[in-house]
Amino acid sequence: MPEKKLRVEFMAMTPDALSLIYAAFRQCYHAGFVADMWPRLLSGEIDPEVQAEFVAKTMESGHDSPIEHVSMTFAAEGISRACSHQIVRHRIASYSQQSQRYVTENDMEYILPPAIARIPEARERFERFMDEVQSAYSDLRQILVDHGRKAKANEDARFVLPQAAETKIVITMNCRSLHHFFHLRCCNRAQWEVRAMADAMLAICKEKLPAIFANGGARCEQLGYCPESPKFACGKYPTREKK
Amino acid sequence: MPEKKLRVEFMAMTPDALSLIYAAFRQCYHAGFVADMWPRLLSGEIDPEVQAEFVAKTMESGHDSPIEHVSMTFAAEGISRACSHQIVRHRIASYSQQSQRYVTENDMEYILPPAIARIPEARERFERFMDEVQSAYSDLRQILVDHGRKAKANEDARFVLPQAAETKIVITMNCRSLHHFFHLRCCNRAQWEVRAMADAMLAICKEKLPAIFANGGARCEQLGYCPESPKFACGKYPTREKK
Amino acid sequence: MPEKKLRVEFMAMTPDALSLIYAAFRQCYHAGFVADMWPRLLSGEIDPEVQAEFVAKTMESGHDSPIEHVSMTFAAEGISRACSHQIVRHRIASYSQQSQRYVTENDMEYILPPAIARIPEARERFERFMDEVQSAYSDLRQILVDHGRKAKANEDARFVLPQAAETKIVITMNCRSLHHFFHLRCCNRAQWEVRAMADAMLAICKEKLPAIFANGGARCEQLGYCPESPKFACGKYPTREKK
Amino acid sequence: MPEKKLRVEFMAMTPDALSLIYAAFRQCYHAGFVADMWPRLLSGEIDPEVQAEFVAKTMESGHDSPIEHVSMTFAAEGISRACSHQIVRHRIASYSQQSQRYVTENDMEYILPPAIARIPEARERFERFMDEVQSAYSDLRQILVDHGRKAKANEDARFVLPQAAETKIVITMNCRSLHHFFHLRCCNRAQWEVRAMADAMLAICKEKLPAIFANGGARCEQLGYCPESPKFACGKYPTREKK
């Protein structure tokens, strides 16, 4: 029953992402057919820097729907059920999550909140409880099996598993939905765990597609001020009123 | 720390629902403007039975998007976090759920799975564990407060709360999304708790809007056969192959 | 073949809208069950002004999802196909639109752009062309009927109908989606017709639900500055840079 | 002002599509982390045929959400505005469409419905009218320019452009949304043009990702019967009642 650390892995991205976004933008304003321009985009005959600049300028004008044509897929482990429950509330996305109905948790791993880890007394209490969880789960599962409920034993025994129980999930979002996710979840007001996850996803996005994600993150990073009400502002940027 | 039972309450429905759906259907096929017809729909000058028949016939032809214009709002309590996590995966819906970050769970209630309730040994083990949960939560919360983490004490202490922990949620879905929800969640393959919740919602829908929900429910109820693969069929209806 | 003017009519709104939004907000932060509070909300025992203030304050903090529980339905006539094509791009909405496949356009009405109406020479050219459209449609439809294509005559003859051809549509959006629609479509950069339609919808929203829509409209109305890139700013508000 | 033929081109697909879908499915039922299995999927160490079989079997059981992780992007030209207006009604998709506000239509191309093309008299009438359209557009655009409305001349002149006017569009849909699109739009009841477009997209999908699209198409292709009401059945498959 060990602690488990967050790990976010890149799985896939729409290929030729910048060119595809550029092509989609161009199709809106251009008399020709982008499929005819496509080979010249892929060959680099149309300079990728020019493509990136065009995309940046058009996005700045408020036209950002073409970035939806590119999606990113991530796999994450080491997140709690408390975290995954928040993530799946983002509706413009696709999820495949490890099922506690199908997977037996005989060796449950868990997420240890940093604030608890830093206080020895809290950590000890937390870890002792995790042992109690494992016992309760194993006991209940066995009782259910003994009473002829083998097929549904996981499904019911999992009711004792904690919010801390580790889960794994595959997530796909398009770039526009990702930006929205980062606006909300990279904010210092977000819960620490979902923020850690959003930060890890953002780091991957910045590496894989800098033309789109260079200034991604909480809203303040793009605005230069904090759009939250003053009472919630973290202080990283001035509030709108101050500005 | 008592057990909590499911309770689903009707909150709101788009008014003049059948007439609105009828009006929307008519607008598709009709030269006139439905806003001009609207008073005669509301006054009953156009017979509600005629409206219901027209709607039924058009839906049968595969055209069901106009039922989206009507939404239903429900409030539910007595559902577990295991259940709410499944529900919020339905993306064409709106949710407002009780937050474990903001609400202190000093008197946590929980959902007791029926299969566990029926086995005295299982029930005793489950209830004993729920006491352990309450102790762990209260202890951890207190330690965090004592260490100056009062503002975030709930947020971190809740990591010990179980999937069984009771939650409350306000749900709004339009009628088309509700039908889809019932197709999946009233099926005997669905987990018992989400099925109980879907059944309670369906009962309300049938009472409030019979013209739309009379034959709502799992897919088999409309098809007359089970569309699942034979190995998962519950036997209520013959499989497609058998038919 | 007369000109047709825009007309947007209110059809329906989720009842007890402010109380429902208040209840949904409260459920997030409150230990109790909002269904138990509901009668006191409806009776006015909990002061509607208090409800409105709570909602306004919480929305200001960036938490706006509960306003999704309330939807508004409108019926519009006197809009062009050019306009309806833009509107249906808003995906968090439901539409029922008059079909040119089913409705015969033997007396087609059309939308006359104001800039054309103001220039007599342009208006005359436009109106003369609309007569040519009607002739072409009627001729083609008749030829198709004469050649045994009656069932599909509308479907094919409509290929000659102009973007100006009048259409009718029933639209339902929830309040959050409406705010987003107004952000984009009440902006002076939006095309004149879709802006006129958005303005008409906004006026209805402000009247029916002022607590939610009092400061609705283009983004600048809430921000106090223009978020567009300076080159597109209309001048009504200073640009972000200027500010 | 020539006629324009439909052309649908493949632009992009999520790479390693089958493996990604397989990985997403496996993550739901598997104790391990799919990111750790990923290299063995890509290397072919886990046989692609085994992957395809697993995916097929799980989809058959009604679990199809993991196919959402893979998206396809197409570019289409030679479609009418009548067609594009239908396509963009599909909401789980992303679109970038050529704008008649930005692109000047001084050499408008158009879609000629096959039923009209087959009747010489109809074709002649149609083509004569298309010349009238071009004159009206050019005249109006010039008048607007002459009256100082250059910036908005396209925007208003396009009101005379017909439904037949050719447009170009970039479309991205995930595989689940594509299946739904094919269910509706490959059906013989669909309008001929959107059906031609859906058929062209389906042919690309079958070629690029046969494991997912082998039996794609109208609902009847999967069901073996026609799910429409008998009065609309095309006869390709028996109706449900007959069966």
mmCIF file of all heavy atoms in Angstrom, chain B residues 102-138:
data_model
loop_
_atom_site.group_PDB
_atom_site.id
_atom_site.type_symbol
_atom_site.label_atom_id
_atom_site.label_comp_id
_atom_site.label_asym_id
_atom_site.label_seq_id
_atom_site.Cartn_x
_atom_site.Cartn_y
_atom_site.Cartn_z
ATOM 1 N N TYR B 102 -15.406 22.735 0.467
ATOM 2 C CA TYR B 102 -16.050 23.824 1.194
ATOM 3 C C TYR B 102 -16.890 23.330 2.371
ATOM 4 O O TYR B 102 -17.040 24.030 3.359
ATOM 5 C CB TYR B 102 -16.913 24.662 0.237
ATOM 6 C CG TYR B 102 -16.062 25.438 -0.734
ATOM 7 C CD1 TYR B 102 -15.785 24.973 -2.002
ATOM 8 C CD2 TYR B 102 -15.468 26.646 -0.332
ATOM 9 C CE1 TYR B 102 -14.964 25.675 -2.875
ATOM 10 C CE2 TYR B 102 -14.651 27.361 -1.206
ATOM 11 C CZ TYR B 102 -14.405 26.868 -2.479
ATOM 12 O OH TYR B 102 -13.601 27.562 -3.324
ATOM 13 N N VAL B 103 -17.441 22.135 2.245
ATOM 14 C CA VAL B 103 -18.330 21.632 3.293
ATOM 15 C C VAL B 103 -17.534 20.692 4.211
ATOM 16 O O VAL B 103 -16.902 19.748 3.735
ATOM 17 C CB VAL B 103 -19.537 20.909 2.657
ATOM 18 C CG1 VAL B 103 -20.426 20.303 3.737
ATOM 19 C CG2 VAL B 103 -20.326 21.878 1.779
ATOM 20 N N THR B 104 -17.575 20.963 5.499
ATOM 21 C CA THR B 104 -16.881 20.122 6.472
ATOM 22 C C THR B 104 -17.693 18.861 6.734
ATOM 23 O O THR B 104 -18.902 18.932 6.927
ATOM 24 C CB THR B 104 -16.695 20.897 7.791
ATOM 25 O OG1 THR B 104 -16.017 22.123 7.489
ATOM 26 C CG2 THR B 104 -15.884 20.104 8.790
ATOM 27 N N GLU B 105 -17.022 17.709 6.730
ATOM 28 C CA GLU B 105 -17.738 16.432 6.851
ATOM 29 C C GLU B 105 -17.601 15.877 8.262
ATOM 30 O O GLU B 105 -17.207 14.721 8.463
ATOM 31 C CB GLU B 105 -17.189 15.428 5.819
ATOM 32 C CG GLU B 105 -17.451 15.813 4.375
ATOM 33 C CD GLU B 105 -18.881 15.503 3.922
ATOM 34 O OE1 GLU B 105 -19.692 15.022 4.743
ATOM 35 O OE2 GLU B 105 -19.179 15.762 2.741
ATOM 36 N N ASN B 106 -17.958 16.704 9.261
ATOM 37 C CA ASN B 106 -17.819 16.214 10.632
ATOM 38 C C ASN B 106 -18.894 15.220 11.009
ATOM 39 O O ASN B 106 -18.802 14.575 12.048
ATOM 40 C CB ASN B 106 -17.804 17.391 11.621
ATOM 41 C CG ASN B 106 -16.398 17.939 11.766
ATOM 42 O OD1 ASN B 106 -15.432 17.242 11.445
ATOM 43 N ND2 ASN B 106 -16.267 19.171 12.247
ATOM 44 N N ASP B 107 -19.884 15.102 10.184
ATOM 45 C CA ASP B 107 -20.907 14.093 10.431
ATOM 46 C C ASP B 107 -21.254 13.416 9.123
ATOM 47 O O ASP B 107 -22.395 13.401 8.673
ATOM 48 C CB ASP B 107 -22.139 14.752 11.065
ATOM 49 C CG ASP B 107 -23.036 13.711 11.699
ATOM 50 O OD1 ASP B 107 -22.510 12.655 12.100
ATOM 51 O OD2 ASP B 107 -24.255 13.946 11.782
ATOM 52 N N MET B 108 -20.213 12.836 8.535
ATOM 53 C CA MET B 108 -20.344 12.228 7.215
ATOM 54 C C MET B 108 -21.434 11.151 7.178
ATOM 55 O O MET B 108 -21.489 10.294 8.038
ATOM 56 C CB MET B 108 -19.006 11.597 6.806
ATOM 57 C CG MET B 108 -19.016 11.051 5.377
ATOM 58 S SD MET B 108 -17.604 9.938 5.083
ATOM 59 C CE MET B 108 -18.295 8.378 5.734
ATOM 60 N N GLU B 109 -22.245 11.233 6.160
ATOM 61 C CA GLU B 109 -23.200 10.158 5.904
ATOM 62 C C GLU B 109 -22.659 9.332 4.737
ATOM 63 O O GLU B 109 -21.789 9.784 4.013
ATOM 64 C CB GLU B 109 -24.572 10.761 5.606
ATOM 65 C CG GLU B 109 -25.118 11.478 6.843
ATOM 66 C CD GLU B 109 -26.450 12.170 6.614
ATOM 67 O OE1 GLU B 109 -26.491 13.088 5.781
ATOM 68 O OE2 GLU B 109 -27.409 11.804 7.279
ATOM 69 N N TYR B 110 -23.174 8.106 4.614
ATOM 70 C CA TYR B 110 -22.604 7.223 3.591
ATOM 71 C C TYR B 110 -23.693 6.373 2.947
ATOM 72 O O TYR B 110 -24.788 6.203 3.497
ATOM 73 C CB TYR B 110 -21.520 6.331 4.184
ATOM 74 C CG TYR B 110 -21.995 5.505 5.342
ATOM 75 C CD1 TYR B 110 -22.715 4.320 5.129
ATOM 76 C CD2 TYR B 110 -21.746 5.891 6.650
ATOM 77 C CE1 TYR B 110 -23.171 3.563 6.186
ATOM 78 C CE2 TYR B 110 -22.201 5.150 7.720
ATOM 79 C CZ TYR B 110 -22.918 3.980 7.479
ATOM 80 O OH TYR B 110 -23.384 3.241 8.530
ATOM 81 N N ILE B 111 -23.348 5.843 1.805
ATOM 82 C CA ILE B 111 -24.234 4.943 1.066
ATOM 83 C C ILE B 111 -23.821 3.504 1.380
ATOM 84 O O ILE B 111 -22.638 3.164 1.257
ATOM 85 C CB ILE B 111 -24.098 5.185 -0.454
ATOM 86 C CG1 ILE B 111 -24.260 6.677 -0.779
ATOM 87 C CG2 ILE B 111 -25.085 4.302 -1.223
ATOM 88 C CD1 ILE B 111 -25.460 7.353 -0.164
ATOM 89 N N LEU B 112 -24.770 2.704 1.754
ATOM 90 C CA LEU B 112 -24.517 1.300 2.082
ATOM 91 C C LEU B 112 -25.013 0.442 0.913
ATOM 92 O O LEU B 112 -26.222 0.374 0.673
ATOM 93 C CB LEU B 112 -25.277 0.941 3.369
ATOM 94 C CG LEU B 112 -25.220 -0.503 3.842
ATOM 95 C CD1 LEU B 112 -23.794 -0.933 4.170
ATOM 96 C CD2 LEU B 112 -26.125 -0.691 5.066
ATOM 97 N N PRO B 113 -24.107 -0.228 0.197
ATOM 98 C CA PRO B 113 -24.557 -1.050 -0.937
ATOM 99 C C PRO B 113 -25.500 -2.155 -0.467
ATOM 100 O O PRO B 113 -25.208 -2.829 0.534
ATOM 101 C CB PRO B 113 -23.248 -1.631 -1.489
ATOM 102 C CG PRO B 113 -22.179 -0.685 -1.039
ATOM 103 C CD PRO B 113 -22.634 -0.198 0.299
ATOM 104 N N PRO B 114 -26.595 -2.379 -1.154
ATOM 105 C CA PRO B 114 -27.579 -3.388 -0.731
ATOM 106 C C PRO B 114 -26.976 -4.780 -0.533
ATOM 107 O O PRO B 114 -27.361 -5.487 0.404
ATOM 108 C CB PRO B 114 -28.592 -3.399 -1.879
ATOM 109 C CG PRO B 114 -28.460 -2.061 -2.522
ATOM 110 C CD PRO B 114 -27.038 -1.633 -2.331
ATOM 111 N N ALA B 115 -26.048 -5.166 -1.405
ATOM 112 C CA ALA B 115 -25.472 -6.513 -1.280
ATOM 113 C C ALA B 115 -24.701 -6.640 0.035
ATOM 114 O O ALA B 115 -24.627 -7.728 0.622
ATOM 115 C CB ALA B 115 -24.540 -6.799 -2.470
ATOM 116 N N ILE B 116 -24.130 -5.557 0.490
ATOM 117 C CA ILE B 116 -23.419 -5.566 1.776
ATOM 118 C C ILE B 116 -24.434 -5.522 2.922
ATOM 119 O O ILE B 116 -24.293 -6.231 3.929
ATOM 120 C CB ILE B 116 -22.425 -4.385 1.830
ATOM 121 C CG1 ILE B 116 -21.262 -4.642 0.848
ATOM 122 C CG2 ILE B 116 -21.898 -4.162 3.253
ATOM 123 C CD1 ILE B 116 -20.250 -3.534 0.728
ATOM 124 N N ALA B 117 -25.476 -4.758 2.735
ATOM 125 C CA ALA B 117 -26.503 -4.646 3.780
ATOM 126 C C ALA B 117 -27.154 -5.999 4.063
ATOM 127 O O ALA B 117 -27.564 -6.285 5.193
ATOM 128 C CB ALA B 117 -27.559 -3.624 3.363
ATOM 129 N N ARG B 118 -27.227 -6.833 3.025
ATOM 130 C CA ARG B 118 -27.929 -8.115 3.177
ATOM 131 C C ARG B 118 -27.109 -9.185 3.890
ATOM 132 O O ARG B 118 -27.641 -10.224 4.278
ATOM 133 C CB ARG B 118 -28.323 -8.647 1.789
ATOM 134 C CG ARG B 118 -29.576 -8.011 1.206
ATOM 135 C CD ARG B 118 -30.096 -8.799 0.015
ATOM 136 N NE ARG B 118 -29.118 -8.837 -1.074
ATOM 137 C CZ ARG B 118 -29.082 -7.949 -2.087
ATOM 138 N NH1 ARG B 118 -29.959 -6.972 -2.146
ATOM 139 N NH2 ARG B 118 -28.167 -8.056 -3.032
ATOM 140 N N ILE B 119 -25.791 -8.967 4.012
ATOM 141 C CA ILE B 119 -24.922 -9.963 4.660
ATOM 142 C C ILE B 119 -24.472 -9.369 6.000
ATOM 143 O O ILE B 119 -23.645 -8.447 6.014
ATOM 144 C CB ILE B 119 -23.687 -10.266 3.772
ATOM 145 C CG1 ILE B 119 -24.119 -10.681 2.356
ATOM 146 C CG2 ILE B 119 -22.814 -11.331 4.419
ATOM 147 C CD1 ILE B 119 -22.963 -10.757 1.349
ATOM 148 N N PRO B 120 -24.996 -9.862 7.107
ATOM 149 C CA PRO B 120 -24.721 -9.227 8.407
ATOM 150 C C PRO B 120 -23.220 -9.028 8.665
ATOM 151 O O PRO B 120 -22.807 -7.953 9.114
ATOM 152 C CB PRO B 120 -25.345 -10.200 9.412
ATOM 153 C CG PRO B 120 -26.434 -10.889 8.655
ATOM 154 C CD PRO B 120 -25.938 -10.995 7.240
ATOM 155 N N GLU B 121 -22.430 -10.021 8.321
ATOM 156 C CA GLU B 121 -20.996 -9.930 8.546
ATOM 157 C C GLU B 121 -20.384 -8.778 7.732
ATOM 158 O O GLU B 121 -19.528 -8.020 8.218
ATOM 159 C CB GLU B 121 -20.361 -11.268 8.129
ATOM 160 C CG GLU B 121 -18.881 -11.368 8.368
ATOM 161 C CD GLU B 121 -18.293 -12.645 7.703
ATOM 162 O OE1 GLU B 121 -19.061 -13.411 7.060
ATOM 163 O OE2 GLU B 121 -17.074 -12.838 7.811
ATOM 164 N N ALA B 122 -20.839 -8.660 6.506
ATOM 165 C CA ALA B 122 -20.326 -7.596 5.632
ATOM 166 C C ALA B 122 -20.764 -6.228 6.151
ATOM 167 O O ALA B 122 -19.973 -5.275 6.209
ATOM 168 C CB ALA B 122 -20.822 -7.806 4.202
ATOM 169 N N ARG B 123 -22.015 -6.167 6.517
ATOM 170 C CA ARG B 123 -22.556 -4.911 7.004
ATOM 171 C C ARG B 123 -21.814 -4.437 8.253
ATOM 172 O O ARG B 123 -21.457 -3.249 8.377
ATOM 173 C CB ARG B 123 -24.044 -5.087 7.327
ATOM 174 C CG ARG B 123 -24.656 -3.830 7.853
ATOM 175 C CD ARG B 123 -26.152 -3.970 8.050
ATOM 176 N NE ARG B 123 -26.681 -2.645 8.252
ATOM 177 C CZ ARG B 123 -27.830 -2.205 7.795
ATOM 178 N NH1 ARG B 123 -28.605 -3.015 7.108
ATOM 179 N NH2 ARG B 123 -28.217 -0.970 8.017
ATOM 180 N N GLU B 124 -21.559 -5.360 9.151
ATOM 181 C CA GLU B 124 -20.868 -5.012 10.396
ATOM 182 C C GLU B 124 -19.462 -4.484 10.066
ATOM 183 O O GLU B 124 -19.022 -3.464 10.600
ATOM 184 C CB GLU B 124 -20.842 -6.246 11.311
ATOM 185 C CG GLU B 124 -20.283 -5.998 12.687
ATOM 186 C CD GLU B 124 -18.746 -6.033 12.715
ATOM 187 O OE1 GLU B 124 -18.131 -6.749 11.880
ATOM 188 O OE2 GLU B 124 -18.154 -5.315 13.562
ATOM 189 N N ARG B 125 -18.779 -5.197 9.164
ATOM 190 C CA ARG B 125 -17.413 -4.773 8.788
ATOM 191 C C ARG B 125 -17.442 -3.383 8.150
ATOM 192 O O ARG B 125 -16.578 -2.541 8.409
ATOM 193 C CB ARG B 125 -16.823 -5.793 7.809
ATOM 194 C CG ARG B 125 -15.364 -5.530 7.418
ATOM 195 C CD ARG B 125 -14.452 -5.741 8.613
ATOM 196 N NE ARG B 125 -13.061 -5.353 8.336
ATOM 197 C CZ ARG B 125 -12.573 -4.128 8.524
ATOM 198 N NH1 ARG B 125 -13.348 -3.150 8.938
ATOM 199 N NH2 ARG B 125 -11.278 -3.877 8.294
ATOM 200 N N PHE B 126 -18.439 -3.162 7.278
ATOM 201 C CA PHE B 126 -18.575 -1.888 6.568
ATOM 202 C C PHE B 126 -18.836 -0.750 7.555
ATOM 203 O O PHE B 126 -18.178 0.290 7.520
ATOM 204 C CB PHE B 126 -19.746 -1.998 5.574
ATOM 205 C CG PHE B 126 -19.897 -0.832 4.646
ATOM 206 C CD1 PHE B 126 -19.212 -0.797 3.435
ATOM 207 C CD2 PHE B 126 -20.724 0.242 4.958
ATOM 208 C CE1 PHE B 126 -19.362 0.267 2.556
ATOM 209 C CE2 PHE B 126 -20.865 1.322 4.096
ATOM 210 C CZ PHE B 126 -20.182 1.327 2.888
ATOM 211 N N GLU B 127 -19.741 -0.988 8.483
ATOM 212 C CA GLU B 127 -20.113 0.082 9.409
ATOM 213 C C GLU B 127 -18.968 0.404 10.379
ATOM 214 O O GLU B 127 -18.746 1.561 10.723
ATOM 215 C CB GLU B 127 -21.393 -0.292 10.157
ATOM 216 C CG GLU B 127 -22.596 -0.263 9.196
ATOM 217 C CD GLU B 127 -23.910 -0.660 9.843
ATOM 218 O OE1 GLU B 127 -23.898 -1.211 10.968
ATOM 219 O OE2 GLU B 127 -24.959 -0.417 9.198
ATOM 220 N N ARG B 128 -18.267 -0.655 10.796
ATOM 221 C CA ARG B 128 -17.113 -0.428 11.664
ATOM 222 C C ARG B 128 -16.090 0.454 10.940
ATOM 223 O O ARG B 128 -15.536 1.402 11.504
ATOM 224 C CB ARG B 128 -16.480 -1.775 12.053
ATOM 225 C CG ARG B 128 -15.221 -1.651 12.889
ATOM 226 C CD ARG B 128 -15.042 -2.876 13.794
ATOM 227 N NE ARG B 128 -15.129 -4.123 13.047
ATOM 228 C CZ ARG B 128 -14.080 -4.731 12.459
ATOM 229 N NH1 ARG B 128 -12.862 -4.215 12.544
ATOM 230 N NH2 ARG B 128 -14.238 -5.874 11.804
ATOM 231 N N PHE B 129 -15.880 0.135 9.663
ATOM 232 C CA PHE B 129 -14.920 0.931 8.896
ATOM 233 C C PHE B 129 -15.380 2.382 8.759
ATOM 234 O O PHE B 129 -14.574 3.302 8.801
ATOM 235 C CB PHE B 129 -14.687 0.303 7.518
ATOM 236 C CG PHE B 129 -13.793 1.142 6.651
ATOM 237 C CD1 PHE B 129 -12.422 1.216 6.917
ATOM 238 C CD2 PHE B 129 -14.300 1.886 5.598
ATOM 239 C CE1 PHE B 129 -11.583 2.015 6.132
ATOM 240 C CE2 PHE B 129 -13.471 2.688 4.819
ATOM 241 C CZ PHE B 129 -12.113 2.748 5.083
ATOM 242 N N MET B 130 -16.666 2.599 8.605
ATOM 243 C CA MET B 130 -17.149 3.980 8.461
ATOM 244 C C MET B 130 -16.827 4.789 9.723
ATOM 245 O O MET B 130 -16.538 5.983 9.643
ATOM 246 C CB MET B 130 -18.647 4.004 8.161
ATOM 247 C CG MET B 130 -19.003 3.527 6.756
ATOM 248 S SD MET B 130 -18.296 4.568 5.426
ATOM 249 C CE MET B 130 -17.747 3.308 4.252
ATOM 250 N N ASP B 131 -16.841 4.113 10.882
ATOM 251 C CA ASP B 131 -16.430 4.805 12.112
ATOM 252 C C ASP B 131 -14.940 5.169 12.054
ATOM 253 O O ASP B 131 -14.536 6.256 12.479
ATOM 254 C CB ASP B 131 -16.696 3.931 13.342
ATOM 255 C CG ASP B 131 -18.193 3.782 13.609
ATOM 256 O OD1 ASP B 131 -18.974 4.654 13.155
ATOM 257 O OD2 ASP B 131 -18.585 2.792 14.242
ATOM 258 N N GLU B 132 -14.168 4.258 11.517
ATOM 259 C CA GLU B 132 -12.729 4.542 11.369
ATOM 260 C C GLU B 132 -12.502 5.732 10.433
ATOM 261 O O GLU B 132 -11.621 6.556 10.652
ATOM 262 C CB GLU B 132 -11.985 3.307 10.829
ATOM 263 C CG GLU B 132 -11.957 2.144 11.817
ATOM 264 C CD GLU B 132 -11.430 0.843 11.205
ATOM 265 O OE1 GLU B 132 -11.242 0.778 9.963
ATOM 266 O OE2 GLU B 132 -11.199 -0.117 11.959
ATOM 267 N N VAL B 133 -13.313 5.807 9.379
ATOM 268 C CA VAL B 133 -13.207 6.933 8.450
ATOM 269 C C VAL B 133 -13.472 8.241 9.187
ATOM 270 O O VAL B 133 -12.702 9.198 9.082
ATOM 271 C CB VAL B 133 -14.222 6.794 7.287
ATOM 272 C CG1 VAL B 133 -14.311 8.097 6.498
ATOM 273 C CG2 VAL B 133 -13.847 5.644 6.369
ATOM 274 N N GLN B 134 -14.567 8.257 9.956
ATOM 275 C CA GLN B 134 -14.920 9.498 10.629
ATOM 276 C C GLN B 134 -13.806 9.940 11.587
ATOM 277 O O GLN B 134 -13.454 11.120 11.642
ATOM 278 C CB GLN B 134 -16.245 9.335 11.378
ATOM 279 C CG GLN B 134 -16.773 10.645 11.927
ATOM 280 C CD GLN B 134 -17.207 11.626 10.835
ATOM 281 O OE1 GLN B 134 -18.220 11.455 10.191
ATOM 282 N NE2 GLN B 134 -16.407 12.666 10.600
ATOM 283 N N SER B 135 -13.233 8.973 12.319
ATOM 284 C CA SER B 135 -12.126 9.303 13.223
ATOM 285 C C SER B 135 -10.928 9.858 12.448
ATOM 286 O O SER B 135 -10.340 10.874 12.832
ATOM 287 C CB SER B 135 -11.644 8.049 13.965
ATOM 288 O OG SER B 135 -12.666 7.540 14.759
ATOM 289 N N ALA B 136 -10.586 9.181 11.372
ATOM 290 C CA ALA B 136 -9.407 9.615 10.614
ATOM 291 C C ALA B 136 -9.620 11.024 10.055
ATOM 292 O O ALA B 136 -8.727 11.878 10.120
ATOM 293 C CB ALA B 136 -9.126 8.629 9.470
ATOM 294 N N TYR B 137 -10.825 11.272 9.522
ATOM 295 C CA TYR B 137 -11.125 12.595 8.959
ATOM 296 C C TYR B 137 -11.032 13.672 10.029
ATOM 297 O O TYR B 137 -10.384 14.707 9.841
ATOM 298 C CB TYR B 137 -12.525 12.581 8.342
ATOM 299 C CG TYR B 137 -12.955 13.909 7.752
ATOM 300 C CD1 TYR B 137 -12.565 14.287 6.473
ATOM 301 C CD2 TYR B 137 -13.756 14.796 8.467
ATOM 302 C CE1 TYR B 137 -12.955 15.498 5.925
ATOM 303 C CE2 TYR B 137 -14.152 16.020 7.929
ATOM 304 C CZ TYR B 137 -13.750 16.360 6.651
ATOM 305 O OH TYR B 137 -14.123 17.563 6.119
ATOM 306 N N SER B 138 -11.669 13.417 11.175
ATOM 307 C CA SER B 138 -11.697 14.427 12.239
ATOM 308 C C SER B 138 -10.291 14.649 12.794
ATOM 309 O O SER B 138 -9.872 15.795 13.023
ATOM 310 C CB SER B 138 -12.653 13.989 13.346
ATOM 311 O OG SER B 138 -13.948 13.824 12.820
#
